[in-house]
Amino acid sequence: MTLLVEGLLFSSFGVLLMFIFEFGFSTYDIRQIRKLHGGMELHIAGIRATIVNHVVFGPITYDLTIRYCCTQHQSLTRWERTFTVVKFLLIENALYYCAHYLMHTRHLYRIHRFHHKFNVVV
């Protein structure tokens, strides 16, 4: 199985968790958001965007993470495992920061502005 297929399976699990949280643990908050003017459409658009992000970007992120942050050796010492996790977190946070910064440029903001419509934390 390729890393992209594994990543798609992993990301699909993320979508499942999103539905569990959205319609299980956060039911009251979601109902409140959906009652607001345009809230139903905004919530549906948010779910759609989350699914697309998981299905499109999840497998790619998984592939790059496994390829460049995880070692293929089976027996790692505690320090090697710790270093691998720290390396992953640093790389992931740096890439997230850069991607989010770029989303605020003139050319990419039209894709990103949807994110700023949400002013309620669930």
Side-chain angles (χ1 to χ4, degrees), residues 48-113:
R48 190 179 308 120
T50 301
I51 291 170
V52 168
N53 284 340
H54 272 80
V55 172
V56 174
F57 299 112
I60 296 167
T61 304
Y62 181 86
D63 179 77
L64 293 173
T65 300
I66 297 299
R67 243 180 247 274
Y68 298 109
C69 293
C70 299
T71 180
Q72 300 300 320
H73 303 295
Q74 295 296 334
S75 57
L76 296 175
T77 67
R78 181 179 305 157
W79 292 112
E80 289 170 329
R81 284 194 306 267
T82 302
F83 177 71
T84 299
V85 170
V86 169
K87 181 171 64 170
F88 166 75
L89 291 173
L90 289 173
I91 291 170
E92 191 273 336
N93 278 286
L95 290 174
Y96 178 83
Y97 175 82
C98 291
H100 194 252
Y101 180 82
L102 289 173
M103 289 292 176
H104 284 264
T105 62
R106 187 169 49 100
H107 299 293
L108 296 176
Y109 189 74
R110 64 182 174 82
I111 299 168
H112 182 68
R113 69 178 169 223

Side-chain angles (χ1 to χ4, degrees), residues 9-26:
L9 293 172
F10 189 75
S11 295
S12 298
F13 182 68
V15 171
L16 175 66
L17 285 176
M18 181 220 25
F19 279 111
I20 290 169
F21 283 110
E22 285 283 316
F23 299 107
F25 301 118
S26 301

Side-chain angles (χ1 to χ4, degrees), residues 16-42:
L16 175 66
L17 285 176
M18 181 220 25
F19 279 111
I20 290 169
F21 283 110
E22 285 283 316
F23 299 107
F25 301 118
S26 301
T27 305
Y28 175 78
D29 295 321
I30 297 303
R31 274 195 223 128
Q32 298 306 312
I33 290 170
R34 291 172 80 111
K35 286 180 185 177
L36 300 173
H37 176 70
M40 174 81 79
E41 294 81 15
L42 188 61

